[in-house]
Amino acid sequence: MYQLQVEEMTCGHCVSAVTRAVQAVDAAATVEVDLASKTVRIDSGADLAPIKAAIVDAGFPVTA
């Protein structure tokens, strides 16, 4: 389980984009996004580095 601070998420489209980015790395990943706190919880067996890279490539800076 990973918990990331992801900036610039403001709407449902952002939630979908982040979820798709994570699931492109691990199709079985479970993704929970909290827009209010700008946190993303990810349950995945994949390494963290490619997950973070996919979120950044989707246009959302990962700050923690």
Side-chain angles (χ1 to χ4, degrees):
M1 176 77 65
Y2 305 115
Q3 182 164 323
L4 303 173
Q5 188 74 28
V6 180
E7 299 301 319
E8 300 182 18
M9 297 186 302
T10 59
C11 64
H13 172 74
C14 299
V15 172
S16 296
V18 169
T19 300
R20 281 193 310 272
V22 172
Q23 291 178 337
V25 175
D26 177 4
T30 302
V31 182
E32 298 175 19
V33 178
D34 183 342
L35 288 175
S37 65
K38 299 194 182 304
T39 58
V40 180
R41 292 179 50 133
I42 302 162
D43 187 4
S44 172
D47 290 332
L48 181 56
I51 290 174
K52 286 174 70 173
I55 294 170
V56 170
D57 288 347
F60 301 94
V62 178
T63 58

